[in-house]
Amino acid sequence: FTGDLAGRTITGIDTNGPSAVFNLTFDGAPMGTGATGGMDITSGGGWGVFDPAYNFLVSIPGQVVSDGQAPLLLSAQTQTTNEIDVIFSEDLDGRTPTNNDFEVTGFILGLPDAPEISPGVVRLTTDTPFGPGATPEVIYNTVMSNGVKDLNDNTAPDVAVNATDGILPTVTSLGDGLSYFTISAGPYYRTLILAF
């Protein structure tokens, strides 16, 4: 086994009756829903995988093991006054969703593509700014497109989320940015200037 499955050994096999599908049970700690990797299937010489007539499965090296889970849209967060990052549960393998996959309530998405800027994070850009502190609703749907898929072609289910406000506040200084304080020290007066 390779990838997230590396170093694990099989502790049990569920043959699922006469079906060609069987389930493997591994030892060790749980791998989580995003575990992927590869495995070599070896068989022959009186051992390995065989059918009731004792026909052995031919060895198959380098089989890809997918997580079998569809990516889920978890949340969204504004980054600027016209950019929203949409966070999925797993890497989309660098695929580029289109704006047809998304709708931002009350706004028009301005670019033809919604790039995956980091694993599982898609950035949406609107034509017009939605203002600081705004939390527009982001609707993801597969009606007008093929949907957002992960590297195993699992399609994310439709969902709507309200974006959280991720825009940092800005501080604007008033006047010349200096404050003057006169303090008394005995018979003398001193002026203290604070810059901020």
Side-chain angles (χ1 to χ4, degrees):
F1 294 98
T2 61
D4 296 337
L5 309 181
R8 295 178 180 271
T9 57
I10 299 172
T11 57
I13 299 176
D14 177 7
T15 58
N16 200 26
S19 171
V21 177
F22 57 92
N23 301 313
L24 307 180
T25 301
F26 298 100
D27 67 349
M31 292 173 290
T33 58
T36 58
M39 67 177 177
D40 296 331
I41 301 174
T42 58
S43 182
W47 56 273
V49 181
F50 54 91
D51 66 10
Y54 291 97
N55 297 306
F56 287 90
L57 176 70
V58 176
S59 296
I60 307 175
Q63 294 301 294
V64 175
V65 180
S66 71
D67 63 4
Q69 305 292 318
L72 301 175
L73 192 159
L74 301 176
S75 63
Q77 185 179 68
T78 60
Q79 298 300 309
T80 66
T81 56
N82 69 332
E83 290 180 328
I84 302 173
D85 284 356
V86 179
I87 297 94
F88 285 87
S89 60
E90 61 181 276
D91 189 357
L92 304 176
D93 195 31
R95 299 186 181 196
T96 304
T98 68
N99 284 339
N100 288 334
D101 294 314
F102 302 93
E103 176 185 347
V104 178
T105 303
F107 297 92
I108 298 173
L109 294 174
L111 298 176
D113 296 323
E116 184 179 19
I117 60 170
S118 61
V121 180
V122 174
R123 177 158 291 173
L124 306 178
T125 304
T126 61
D127 269 348
T128 57
F130 38 78
T135 54
E137 183 181 36
V138 177
I139 301 170
Y140 158 70
N141 66 76
T142 55
V143 174
M144 299 296 292
S145 68
N146 293 323
V148 174
K149 301 178 184 294
D150 64 7
L151 59 93
N152 299 309
D153 280 332
N154 297 313
T155 303
D158 297 355
V159 70
V161 297
N162 284 324
T164 59
D165 179 14
I167 302 175
L168 296 176
T170 57
V171 177
T172 303
S173 92
L174 302 176
D176 59 5
L178 302 175
S179 290
Y180 299 84
F181 297 91
T182 301
I183 55 177
S184 173
Y188 303 100
Y189 289 88
R190 298 184 184 271
T191 299
L192 177 66
I193 302 175
L194 300 178
F196 57 92

